[in-house]
């Protein structure tokens, strides 16, 4: 019955029980709508309804690739990053960028029930672009570690994975700030704690010296990032001159929503280590603490960094494709706040990559430090991510000349960074049917430029 539609097949098989006909029809639809391309993806369940906007795959691709996504079946629209057809809202320009460079790029979805089949199919590709938002595999009932291990095996087999699990883990870990501490973009008094004992001793010493920022490793959107000051402001003049007592009062602000709390040093340490207990007092934070839970191997860590007062004037987000800067966003917190996380009333201003205001930082970062970033993070064998960001905080005293300002890294992020030009294509309650057609022609053109540059970078790396 090859070539027949599901309806024609069903008509030809009249007499079968209705449930069997339904399953047969569904199976035929799945076979018929697997993403076209040089690699047979028909063994995988097809989640997408269509491939609107995707270019035709080259007949003789220079390299064969796939863009992997995850549809969270228990969540509205498949997650907060999906178009109405089931793809990520920005998958099309990324895949098309690969195609425009002469490579193929098929759109596929990972379902944990088909784990072995999925990775068997993936072995037929030369590269995989992973676009699964952190937490979505678990939310769909899968095992993130199992997925990551599968990607690691592909990487060992010579298949390029962007970004690989090791790159996501090491660039996203807060102790990455310690590993770049001696660069132009780092602060030498940046410390990492992996045990309660290290944290208690180290934090009491740094807190007695000057205001601090304490960052947990596993949070997102500012949860578990605390800006902390001594209530009495009785800081010592030299680092190590004294350590705080458990009874000293702290003023804390959490970066996820800029809410303020007051606790003793002892209560804060207890909350960070053991969460909400009788010893930690009453907390209004949305988080649960326990930032060191599981130890280093499980991602339990805290980073302790000097607080830079000029954070109130905002931070800079550098958007990069490989080693190319494509734009800068200045994110200014709402008046009275410190965090510029989205949804807190912060103001965003957009600049081009050649903005003279940030010339000194751009040159220090791109020309001096960037070649050393991956080796310093124990990722010397990995290329830079295709699409990633670096956030910077101004660490200079007020009044410093722009060309002499010191900006330090606050965070690296390569875990499914979105293309904001495509936001009109993602579904939410007021736009439940959002799709590729809802993106303006201007934004499509800008997204295409980004995708094409990603394709150029990917082709150059694979060609080596």
């Amino acid at each position: 019955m090859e070539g027949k539609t599901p309806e024609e097949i069903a008509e030809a098989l009249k007499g079968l029980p209705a449930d069997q006909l339904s399953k047969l029809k569904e199976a035929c639809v799945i076979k018929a709508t697997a993403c076209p391309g040089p690699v047979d993806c028909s063994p995988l369940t097809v989640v997408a309804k269509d491939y609107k906007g995707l270019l035709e795959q080259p007949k003789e691709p220079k390299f064969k690739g796939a863009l992997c996504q995850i549809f969270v079946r228990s969540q509205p629209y498949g997650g907060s990053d999906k178009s109405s057809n089931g793809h990520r809202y920005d998958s099309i320009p990324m895949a098309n960028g690969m195609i425009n460079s002469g490579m193929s790029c098929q759109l596929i979805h990972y379902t944990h029930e088909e784990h072995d089949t999925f990775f068997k199919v993936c072995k037929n590709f030369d590269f995989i672009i992973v676009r699964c938002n952190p937490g979505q595999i678990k939310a769909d009932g899968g095992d993130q570690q199992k997925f990551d291990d599968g990607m690691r095996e592909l990487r060992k087999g010579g298949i390029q994975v962007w970004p690989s699990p090791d790159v996501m883990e090491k660039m996203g870990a807060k102790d990455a700030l310690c590993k770049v501490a001696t660069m132009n973009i780092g602060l030498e008094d940046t410390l990492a704690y992996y045990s309660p004992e290290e944290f208690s001793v180290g934090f009491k010493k740094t807190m007695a010296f000057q205001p601090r920022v304490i960052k947990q490793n596993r949070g997102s959107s500012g949860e578990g990032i605390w800006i902390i000051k001594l209530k009495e402001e009785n800081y010592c003049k030299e680092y190590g001159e004294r350590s705080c007592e458990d009874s000293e009062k702290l003023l804390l602000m959490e970066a996820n929503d800029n809410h303020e709390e007051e606790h003793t040093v002892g209560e804060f340490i207890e909350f960070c280590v053991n969460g909400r207990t009788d010893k930690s007092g009453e907390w209004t934070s949305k988080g649960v603490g326990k930032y060191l839970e599981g130890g280093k191997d499980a991602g339990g860590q805290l980073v302790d960094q000097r607080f830079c007062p000029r954070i109130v004037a905002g931070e800079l987000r550098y958007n990069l494709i490989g080693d190319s800067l494509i734009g800068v966003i200045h994110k200014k917190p709402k008046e009275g706040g410190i965090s510029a996380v989205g949804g807190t009333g912060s103001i965003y201003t957009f600049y081009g990559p050649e903005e003279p205001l940030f010339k000194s930082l751009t040159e220090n970062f791109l020309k001096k430090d960037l070649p050393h970033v991956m080796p310093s993070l124990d990722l010397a064998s990995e290329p830079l991510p295709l699409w990633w960001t670096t956030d910077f905080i101004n660490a200079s005293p007020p009044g410093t000349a722009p060309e002499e300002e010191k900006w330090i890294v606050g965070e690296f992020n390569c875990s499914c960074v979105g293309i904001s030009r495509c936001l009109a294509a993602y579904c939410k309650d007021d736009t439940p049917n959002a799709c590729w057609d809802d993106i303006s022609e201007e934004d499509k053109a800008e997204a295409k430029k980004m995708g094409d540059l990603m394709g150029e970078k990917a082709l150059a790396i694979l060609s080596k």
Side-chain angles (χ1 to χ4, degrees):
M1 296 193 182
E2 185 176 351
K4 292 186 179 295
T5 67
E7 288 76 13
E8 290 170 334
I9 294 172
E11 180 66 26
L13 296 176
K14 276 184 176 178
L16 284 177
D19 61 334
Q20 292 185 29
L21 278 176
S22 177
K23 290 179 181 178
L24 177 60
K25 182 177 178 179
E26 182 180 352
C28 290
V29 171
I30 287 170
K31 278 282 187 180
T33 57
C35 190
V39 173
D40 179 15
C41 296
S42 62
L44 302 178
T45 295
V46 174
V47 174
K49 296 177 183 177
D50 61 60
Y51 302 94
K52 183 176 289 187
L54 185 66
L55 297 174
E56 184 178 350
Q57 306 286 348
K59 294 181 180 178
E60 295 184 6
K62 297 173 183 177
F63 295 97
K64 295 176 289 185
L67 188 149
C68 167
Q69 309 160 98
I70 179 75
F71 187 91
V72 185
R73 288 162 282 186
S74 62
Q75 295 181 357
Y77 319 116
S80 60
D81 59 350
K82 297 297 184 299
S83 285
S84 56
N85 60 2
H87 297 298
R88 256 190 68 96
Y89 67 89
D90 54 5
S91 290
I92 295 299
M94 295 186 74
N96 284 348
M98 304 300 126
I99 293 171
N100 283 330
S101 71
M103 303 183 288
S104 63
C105 190
Q106 294 167 256
L107 301 177
I108 58 177
H109 283 80
Y110 172 79
T111 55
H112 65 88
E113 296 91 344
E114 298 176 343
H115 178 89
D116 293 341
T117 302
F118 177 86
F119 281 98
K120 184 177 180 180
V121 170
C122 284
K123 288 180 180 179
N124 298 307
F125 293 106
D126 299 307
F127 68 90
I128 308 289
I129 298 174
V130 180
R131 298 293 285 168
C132 302
N133 248 352
Q136 288 190 331
I137 288 176
K138 182 178 180 180
D140 192 51
D143 184 331
Q144 182 71 53
Q145 186 65 49
K146 187 176 180 180
F147 176 85
D148 288 348
D149 288 344
M151 286 295 168
R152 287 189 176 97
E153 286 302 311
L154 292 180
R155 190 74 187 90
K156 289 177 183 176
I159 296 170
Q160 181 63 55
V161 178
W162 275 299
S164 72
D166 290 340
V167 170
M168 280 195 284
E169 180 181 317
K170 293 182 179 181
M171 291 195 80
K174 295 299 186 289
D175 65 355
L177 305 181
C178 304
K179 296 176 180 178
V180 299
T182 58
M183 296 184 187
N184 293 290
I185 55 173
L187 277 179
E188 289 187 342
D189 62 332
T190 302
L191 308 174
Y193 309 121
Y194 304 99
S195 71
E197 294 75 25
E198 284 180 325
F199 173 49
S200 179
V201 173
F203 173 67
K204 288 179 180 179
K205 185 183 294 186
T206 59
M207 193 68 249
F209 177 50
Q210 58 190 190
R212 309 300 295 179
V213 180
I214 297 293
K215 303 180 181 184
Q216 72 144 321
N217 186 42
R218 290 175 286 222
S220 62
S221 300
E223 192 267 307
I225 297 179
W226 295 95
I227 297 93
I228 313 173
K229 299 178 181 179
L230 286 177
K231 186 175 183 179
E232 299 298 327
E233 298 187 0
N234 54 330
Y235 302 105
C236 58
K237 292 182 178 180
E238 300 292 334
Y239 175 63
E241 189 176 293
R242 82 174 187 92
S243 292
C244 286
E245 300 292 333
D246 283 340
S247 59
E248 291 186 57
K249 292 289 183 69
L250 302 175
L251 300 178
L252 305 101
M253 178 181 283
E254 192 171 14
N256 63 327
D257 56 8
N258 290 325
H259 87 279
E260 298 178 347
E261 302 204 27
E262 182 176 321
H263 293 278
T264 66
V265 170
E267 287 172 342
F268 178 67
I269 293 174
E270 175 70 12
F271 179 75
C272 291
V273 175
N274 296 315
R276 300 172 194 270
T277 68
D278 292 340
K279 294 181 180 179
S280 66
E282 295 293 326
W283 288 77
T284 57
S285 169
K286 296 176 183 176
V288 297
K290 301 182 182 180
Y291 304 136
L292 298 174
E293 192 172 45
K296 183 176 182 180
D297 291 341
Q301 63 178 253
L302 284 164
V303 167
D304 180 350
Q305 193 172 48
R306 182 193 318 171
F307 172 66
C308 300
R310 292 181 69 179
I311 185 67
V312 297
E315 56 188 317
L316 299 178
R317 168 159 289 182
Y318 273 44
N319 293 313
L320 299 112
I321 294 174
D323 57 1
S324 295
L325 176 64
I326 63 165
V328 180
I329 306 173
H330 179 248
K331 305 189 295 180
K332 188 179 187 302
K334 180 182 178 181
E335 192 67 32
I338 290 178
S339 172
V341 170
T344 60
S346 49
I347 300 169
Y348 285 27
T349 306
F350 297 84
Y351 298 91
E354 305 295 332
E355 175 56 48
L357 279 173
F358 315 123
K359 182 180 179 181
S360 177
L361 167 60
T362 299
E363 290 188 352
N364 277 332
F365 179 43
L366 297 184
K367 296 180 181 179
K368 296 179 182 178
D369 286 347
L370 191 54
H372 306 292
V373 167
M374 298 302 274
S376 72
L377 299 178
D378 302 320
L379 295 167
S381 63
E382 291 280 1
L384 288 164
L386 284 183
W387 179 224
W388 61 296
T389 66
T390 304
D391 290 347
F392 292 100
I393 301 166
N394 195 334
S396 305
T400 304
E403 64 273 11
E404 296 178 1
E405 286 181 333
K406 181 176 177 62
W407 290 81
I408 62 164
V409 172
E411 182 178 52
F412 296 115
N413 184 16
C414 65
S415 298
C416 221
V417 178
I419 298 177
S420 58
R421 292 283 188 169
C422 299
L423 284 172
Y426 90 88
C427 297
K428 50 187 188 298
D429 290 345
D430 58 338
T431 57
N433 300 309
C435 67
W436 173 251
D437 291 340
D438 293 313
I439 303 173
S440 70
E441 292 304 315
E442 178 186 354
D443 284 341
K444 282 182 181 177
E446 290 301 314
K448 179 181 182 300
K449 290 179 184 178
M450 296 180 194
D452 287 353
L453 182 55
M454 291 181 212
E456 291 174 21
K457 298 288 184 182
L459 179 60
I461 291 168
L462 291 165
S463 297
K464 290 180 181 179

